[in-house]
Amino acid sequence: MNRRSFIKFSALTGTSATLASCGNPEYHLIRFIPEDRLVAGIAVWKPSICPLCSAGCGLTVRVMEGDAEVIRDGKLGVTKMGLAKKLEGDPQNPINQGKLCTRGQAAMEVTYHPDRLGHPLKRAGSRGDGKFEEITWDQAMAELTGKLDALAAAGNQKSLAILTRPQRGARGAVLAEFANRFGAAAPLAFEFFGNDVIRRANEMSFGKAQLPTLDLAESQFVISFGADFLGTWNSPVAQNVGYGQMRQGRPGMRGKFVQVEYRMSQSGANADEWVPVKPGTEGVLALGIANAIMKQGTRKASDAGHAGTLVDGWMTGLADHTPQEVEKKTGVTAARIERLAKEFSGQKPAVAIIAGAAVAQTNGLFNALAVNALNALVGSVETAGGIYFTPQPANLGTGTNFAKNGEIGAGAQVLFVDGANPVFASPKAWKVKEAISAVPYIVSFGNFIDETSVMADLILPDHSFLESWVQSAPESGAKTAVSMMAPPVMRPLHDTRATGDVLLEVSKKLAKPLNMPWQKFEDAVKEQPGGNAGRSPLPKPAPAQAAKYAEPQFDGDAGQYGFHFLPYPSIAFLDGSLAHLPLLQELPDPMSSAIWSSWVEINMQTADKMGIRQGDLVEITSSQGSIRVPAFPSPGIAPDVIAMPVGQGHENYTRYASGRGANPIEILAPVKEPETGSLAWAATRVKIAKAADADGRLVLFAGSLRDYPPEGMHR
Amino acid sequence: MTHRWGMAVDLDRCTGCEACVTACRTENNVRIAGPEESAKGRSIAWIRVERYYEGDFPDVRVKFRPVMCQQCDAAPCEPVCPTYASHHSEEGLNAQIYNRCIGTRYCANACPYNVRFFNFGNPVWDRPLDLPLNPDVSVREVGVVEKCTFCTQRISAGKDQAKAEGRELRDGEIKPACVQSCPTSALVFGDLNDPESAVSMLSRSSRGTKLMDDLGTQPKVTYLKKEY
Ligand code: SF4
Ligand code: SF4
């Protein structure tokens, strides 16, 4: 096998400028031994974990030998190495069972992205202008330790702030321990489409502050209130696997599926029955169904147990929520409510799900409590075909500490940003950008320049997930606790370092070392998670006052702002964090077939009345500002609603996403769900007007506007 | 016994999630056209998920339908090709030989399913996005037509593996990338010459239909209709 230990090296034109500080690359042989397990042309399979969403699906990665340009000791050369070629679902994994979603399939591009950051960077221009210079890791570490030592010397440890995405497992543990030992506040997690309301409701109803695992494979009747469980919410692969089984996996048996929502999601598109409701009235509809079930006599109020007591009037039969009353509020006819009640209580097992816009209202918590009570009424909690709460490893927090206005950076002297992009994904009114600008020193561990990391003074780019130890213990997706870890699949392509290792090294280098419990990140990975819990009965939830229905509140006067505005997670980009991947930019949206575009969905008749045709540029204005985006008239949306996928509209996020489309988050009003304080992202009203420019640059895979006459195309 | 590869698509399982679409792209080195070329209708997808809206608000329904090359037994794309680039293989597959293709595009015009794509330029992968290209699949250059192959490289690999182990192929052992990834198991692949194979049994389902069967193309993909 001598041939394979032969190492090629070459000078690459165009790179000498960036490498000037590292000497002359032509004269350096890269001593990098290829992996001996690899034989040219023969694939080996290695385990890993999909990092793109919190579902944490297990991967098997196809690895083959190939030639790659790599950087070692600051020198660039070409070497033979094992390269990840394709990601597949791990058939052994109880969550994704050998399958992956479309995003997981594209996760490869994170590693090989041409705009991935390959070296430590130091700000060279004024903050936010995107000018950085390359520095060595030694310089970078010295710089970071210096800043932290200065904080400690001034007794100012509290002014270190850490902002992450929700992190479960080793990475979160290292960050939290670092903060703790240094004397800083616990890291704040930032997630636009967070699940805080659902977790709070589940804690109140069932004593579990966590997302449910849906046992769809066994269900006979599924009613979902706004949850896009087949597209983007919770554990989509696991839920699709179960859904396929529910529909056609049991001979002679086919589960029915009803979706309640006011804009047809990809999930809703699969429903046998699609039930549009007025925004924010999902919980009332659930109570109308519960009222009818109780009246039909198949279940009594007390069957719902504790979850029922949390809803005002439940124990006395929900007298205020007769189908007739509920019809007035929701727009769903009393007859339909009664029929749904019969089906829901008559089919066993039946399950209700709530997520999405239904909980992103000012009364979101109430809506979730109402649906929880409905589930409890028919006995679908912790039973086959219903919802389960996956046992959680003892040392993993599930709460997300949502970062809100003013919390980010208030009083911070040094800010660590780990994978979160709140400058993009928060309403303008939160003034996150201003808050972050006020922090004297910002360190980012991201792999890419985005709207938040561009503000950094120091960037310490992480390995990609394929290049580092990975570990995950997903909150939901399988009935049993799942915990997985995997070593690196391939060697790093760039001069990056695993963030866990960087923090551990810094902790040793500080003037007052932190004595972290791990030497290397690998140690933390191997230790997590401890004490896997077995299944145990649900704990007794704390008593709480019964919640009363309150009308949802919307920002913007209904007369002036005639439309409800619904931003929704895009199948391709989720909250926008995946807009940098070309595979996902060119993925046709399931509902519109749009690629490389932004668009706003508007009811067809409404569009006709306003003279808006497919592709026409529309101006959307809320009390917070306006954006312009091409129209996509659709029958699957209520006449007084417009909806827009989140994800495009990046100012600064690689060559593929920058300057493309518009960001609906920008114009959201800072309305909150009062109990949890999380953003009610479906509670903004807007007005729309046709903009002067005719061409909105909407590209559809099923025929682009430039090549097809727009008239009649929308059918 | 020779094989006759076919597929069944259960539309009652398909949720339009498009896992298949990206799985196919990454497996088969299908190029990214980019925004400008895409706007000219030049984005390539060997498998696409079509959507059909029925009715008006509030009584709306949508049906999804994944469409790939139907591997017709009487393939209209074959007789029109002057160079035999589009031809029938022994195992019943409609195969495209790229280096015979001279880009007349007669085949793409003849195909009633609109699943053949022409390369209007050479593909570009911004480095290092070229590194994960699949070495088992050739990259198509300007002037040739391409389409779904049922992942012929996986079929060969599966047959080789069985041969090396001195055994018959097992049903379900060979999975094209779309089938492997499909979370709902809407897509099933296998040998239509084996009456016991999963795909044969599904193809005989009373829910089964073929796309535009009346054209006489004899597709080897069976669609099982959505139930309500
Ligand atoms: S659902 Fe998709 S993105 Fe999320 S972890 Fe699984 S494969 Fe990755
Ligand atoms: S992967 Fe399966 S469920 Fe998803 S769109 Fe394709 S065929 Fe349908």
Side-chain angles (χ1 to χ4, degrees):
Chain A
M1 286 292 141
N2 271 339
R3 186 189 54 76
R4 282 189 298 111
S5 32
F6 198 85
I7 299 159
K8 282 199 269 176
F9 60 98
S10 67
L12 292 142
T13 45
T15 53
S16 48
T18 53
L19 290 168
S21 60
C22 317
N24 200 341
E26 284 104 309
Y27 302 111
H28 290 281
L29 180 71
I30 295 173
R31 297 208 177 276
F32 181 38
I33 315 296
E35 289 169 87
D36 27 302
R37 278 180 69 206
L38 286 177
V39 179
I42 306 287
V44 297
W45 296 87
K46 298 187 178 187
S48 189
I49 302 167
C50 177
L52 297 189
C53 86
S54 48
C57 297
L59 303 174
T60 53
V61 186
R62 185 179 199 228
V63 182
M64 292 180 89
E65 189 187 79
D67 290 327
E69 284 170 24
V70 295
I71 291 173
R72 292 291 176 270
D73 301 328
K75 286 138 203 138
L76 185 66
V78 174
T79 185
K80 283 206 181 302
M81 64 183 278
L83 295 172
K85 290 284 187 182
K86 174 92 170 50
L87 308 181
E88 309 285 5
D90 171 8
Q92 309 297 324
N93 191 289
I95 292 173
N96 54 314
Q97 302 173 49
K99 310 297 187 177
L100 282 187
C101 79
T102 201
R103 300 173 292 276
Q105 289 284 347
M108 186 75 78
E109 291 189 336
V110 172
T111 302
Y112 298 106
H113 199 291
D115 295 338
R116 205 183 134 189
L117 302 176
H119 322 262
L121 296 175
K122 189 181 164 156
R123 175 157 70 87
S126 51
R127 176 166 276 181
D129 73 0
K131 289 204 186 74
F132 292 93
E133 64 180 359
E134 278 174 24
I135 54 173
T136 65
W137 275 101
D138 286 346
Q139 288 168 318
M141 297 302 260
E143 172 101 21
L144 178 55
T145 4
K147 287 287 168 192
L148 293 176
D149 279 341
L151 278 194
N156 213 355
Q157 289 94 331
K158 280 213 159 42
S159 62
L160 166 67
I162 303 179
L163 189 62
T164 73
R165 292 175 76 81
Q167 301 272 10
R168 292 163 55 82
R171 194 190 182 96
V174 171
L175 278 164
E177 197 58 38
F178 189 95
N180 174 30
R181 294 194 185 220
F182 186 74
L188 276 180
F190 177 85
E191 188 181 30
F192 181 74
F193 290 110
N195 286 299
D196 291 11
V197 173
I198 300 171
R199 288 198 187 89
R200 174 69 67 85
N202 289 348
E203 181 174 30
M204 293 171 71
S205 302
F206 309 122
K208 288 279 188 184
Q210 95 187 58
L211 292 178
T213 293
L214 312 178
D215 186 23
L216 298 172
E218 304 281 336
S219 302
Q220 270 303 342
F221 189 93
V222 177
I223 182 166
S224 151
F225 297 82
D228 184 22
F229 65 98
L230 297 172
T232 53
W233 179 69
N234 198 0
S235 196
V237 178
Q239 287 150 197
N240 270 282
V241 172
Y243 174 90
Q245 184 71 10
M246 172 192 94
R247 290 303 211 179
Q248 289 294 337
R250 302 166 293 179
M253 223 189 263
R254 178 180 185 273
K256 182 175 174 176
F257 165 34
V258 178
Q259 178 88 355
V260 178
E261 61 190 357
Y262 49 94
R263 174 256 163 194
M264 186 178 270
S265 62
Q266 183 220 327
S267 298
N270 290 287
D272 300 291
E273 202 178 325
W274 186 66
V275 184
V277 280
K278 299 216 179 88
T281 66
E282 293 86 349
V284 176
L285 180 62
L287 296 187
I289 294 173
N291 169 294
I293 291 176
M294 294 180 203
K295 236 184 281 162
Q296 287 159 9
T298 48
R299 302 282 196 297
K300 24 181 220 316
S302 59
D303 290 345
H306 173 80
T309 64
L310 296 181
V311 176
D312 185 57
W314 182 279
M315 293 318 274
T316 50
L318 294 166
D320 295 347
H321 299 289
T322 59
Q324 289 69 26
E325 277 306 310
V326 171
E327 171 173 342
K328 282 184 219 151
K329 296 202 174 80
T330 59
V332 183
T333 64
R336 195 177 202 179
I337 294 171
E338 269 157 20
R339 181 176 50 76
L340 287 173
K342 267 206 193 84
E343 293 185 42
F344 189 65
S345 62
Q347 297 291 327
K348 256 191 155 182
V351 66
I353 312 167
I354 183 162
V359 293
Q361 302 286 3
T362 54
N363 61 355
L365 186 68
F366 173 84
N367 291 338
L369 290 171
V371 169
N372 281 354
L374 186 61
N375 260 334
L377 183 67
V378 298
S380 64
V381 183
E382 296 272 308
T383 50
I387 58 169
Y388 282 90
F389 293 99
T390 303
Q392 299 295 297
N395 51 352
L396 283 179
T398 53
T400 54
N401 199 351
F402 200 79
K404 290 177 277 288
N405 177 23
E407 281 180 20
I408 301 171
Q413 295 294 308
V414 177
L415 173 68
F416 287 0
V417 183
D418 181 32
N421 186 4
V423 173
F424 173 80
S426 47
K428 279 252 147 69
W430 280 5
K431 297 201 183 334
V432 168
K433 189 168 178 183
E434 290 80 348
I436 287 184
S437 302
V439 181
Y441 195 73
I442 301 172
V443 185
S444 164
F445 299 96
N447 265 300
F448 295 94
I449 298 283
D450 61 23
E451 290 81 357
T452 303
S453 64
V454 74
M455 320 251 296
D457 299 273
L458 184 66
I459 301 183
L460 306 175
D462 194 4
H463 287 336
S464 92
F465 69 106
L466 294 173
E467 299 160 343
S468 32
W469 281 85
V470 283
Q471 187 256 331
S472 154
E475 173 178 12
S476 59
K479 287 192 231 174
T480 49
V482 178
S483 159
M484 28 183 164
M485 65 173 90
V489 161
M490 58 188 269
R491 299 189 193 228
L493 286 179
H494 301 289
D495 189 15
T496 52
R497 285 191 191 172
T499 298
D501 282 326
V502 170
L503 290 174
L504 290 172
E505 200 184 323
V506 168
S507 75
K508 289 177 210 156
K509 289 209 164 119
L510 290 174
K512 268 192 250 138
L514 301 182
N515 296 320
M516 295 278 280
W518 314 282
Q519 289 303 308
K520 292 180 307 229
F521 182 54
E522 185 182 332
D523 304 335
V525 165
K526 287 179 177 160
E527 182 188 302
Q528 300 277 333
N532 254 355
R535 182 158 289 289
S536 53
L538 291 181
K540 207 168 148 37
Q545 248 196 326
K548 209 171 159 53
Y549 173 69
E551 294 279 334
Q553 303 296 309
F554 301 97
D555 176 85
D557 171 64
Q560 195 188 351
Y561 298 100
F563 291 87
H564 293 281
F565 186 51
L566 174 67
Y568 64 88
S570 129
I571 253 290
F573 312 135
L574 298 178
D575 59 357
S577 53
L578 307 182
H580 62 323
L581 304 183
L583 272 167
L584 297 177
Q585 283 282 356
E586 205 162 309
L587 178 78
D589 175 73
M591 304 307 291
S592 65
S593 94
I595 48 181
W596 296 98
S597 302
S598 251
W599 66 94
V600 61
E601 288 159 33
I602 176 167
N603 176 280
M604 247 173 206
Q605 276 92 22
T606 310
D608 277 352
K609 265 184 238 149
M610 298 183 71
I612 295 172
R613 294 174 314 174
Q614 183 173 290
D616 285 352
L617 203 63
V618 166
E619 184 159 64
I620 308 172
T621 307
S622 74
S623 67
Q624 308 295 309
S626 58
I627 51 176
R628 292 169 145 222
V629 58
F632 182 81
S634 153
I637 185 165
D640 59 344
V641 175
I642 62 168
M644 211 181 139
V646 168
Q648 301 281 29
H650 282 279
E651 262 169 48
N652 201 336
Y653 194 32
T654 79
R655 65 186 78 180
Y656 303 110
S658 299
R660 186 172 308 292
N663 179 6
I665 299 174
E666 264 179 34
I667 59 165
L668 294 182
V671 184
K672 286 177 185 174
E673 192 289 315
E675 282 296 311
T676 57
S678 52
L679 181 71
W681 46 259
T684 300
R685 286 179 156 277
V686 294
K687 60 183 174 193
I688 58 174
K690 202 169 143 176
D693 331 32
D695 184 359
R697 294 189 165 263
L698 176 63
V699 179
L700 302 185
F701 178 78
S704 97
L705 294 171
R706 292 214 171 74
D707 300 325
Y708 290 78
E711 244 126 346
M713 264 294 293
H714 54 282
R715 288 270 171 150
Chain B
M1 192 175 67
T2 61
H3 305 287
R4 208 172 140 259
W5 304 110
M7 199 181 283
V9 181
D10 191 337
L11 299 179
D12 205 22
R13 285 183 185 250
C14 176
T15 60
C17 76
E18 299 195 332
C20 50
V21 175
T22 307
C24 172
R25 258 222 164 95
T26 53
E27 170 74 18
N28 290 303
N29 302 336
V30 177
R31 61 159 70 188
I32 296 288
E36 282 78 27
E37 290 293 295
S38 292
K40 296 182 189 146
R42 293 176 180 176
S43 175
I44 294 178
W46 288 8
I47 181 169
R48 62 174 177 265
V49 179
E50 299 181 342
R51 68 215 49 76
Y52 296 91
Y53 284 89
E54 292 169 1
D56 278 319
F57 184 88
D59 297 312
V60 192
R61 266 179 185 170
V62 169
K63 283 177 179 154
F64 292 115
R65 184 165 68 197
V67 179
M68 72 303 287
C69 171
Q70 305 289 300
Q71 306 290 353
C72 310
D73 276 342
C77 60
E78 289 169 9
V80 296
C81 178
T83 61
Y84 300 99
S86 171
H87 72 288
H88 224 60
S89 83
E90 280 127 56
E91 299 187 342
L93 292 183
N94 167 251
Q96 177 77 359
I97 304 209
Y98 303 124
N99 45 15
R100 274 190 201 155
C101 176
I102 56 169
T104 64
R105 288 176 271 167
Y106 294 163
C107 59
N109 291 334
C111 168
Y113 304 104
N114 209 1
V115 293
R116 292 183 151 261
F117 293 85
F118 184 66
N119 283 280
F120 284 90
N122 275 318
V124 183
W125 281 275
D126 296 330
R127 289 201 309 178
L129 278 176
D130 56 328
L131 290 186
L133 288 181
N134 186 351
D136 299 339
V137 177
S138 39
V139 165
R140 285 76 58 187
E141 302 201 331
V142 63
V144 306
V145 168
E146 62 179 79
K147 51 133 222 146
C148 161
T149 66
F150 269 1
C151 285
T152 171
Q153 68 283 1
R154 291 186 175 212
I155 298 176
S156 312
K159 287 195 296 192
D160 289 350
Q161 187 67 32
K163 199 170 163 194
E165 291 171 17
R167 59 170 173 83
E168 293 283 300
L169 270 172
R170 287 185 285 263
D171 183 35
E173 174 175 10
I174 296 176
K175 284 195 176 78
C178 57
V179 174
Q180 181 180 15
S181 69
C182 175
T184 62
S185 304
L187 305 173
V188 174
F189 178 81
D191 189 350
L192 292 171
N193 275 348
D194 170 6
E196 299 302 309
S197 68
V199 70
S200 289
M201 296 203 279
L202 286 169
S203 301
R204 294 194 296 267
S205 158
S206 57
R207 291 196 290 131
T209 54
K210 303 257 161 91
L211 279 193
M212 295 189 252
D213 209 9
D214 48 340
L215 295 177
T217 50
Q218 300 173 32
K220 279 195 288 297
V221 178
T222 303
Y223 287 87
L224 279 67
K225 75 172 179 1
K226 191 165 168 63
E227 294 189 282
Y228 281 117

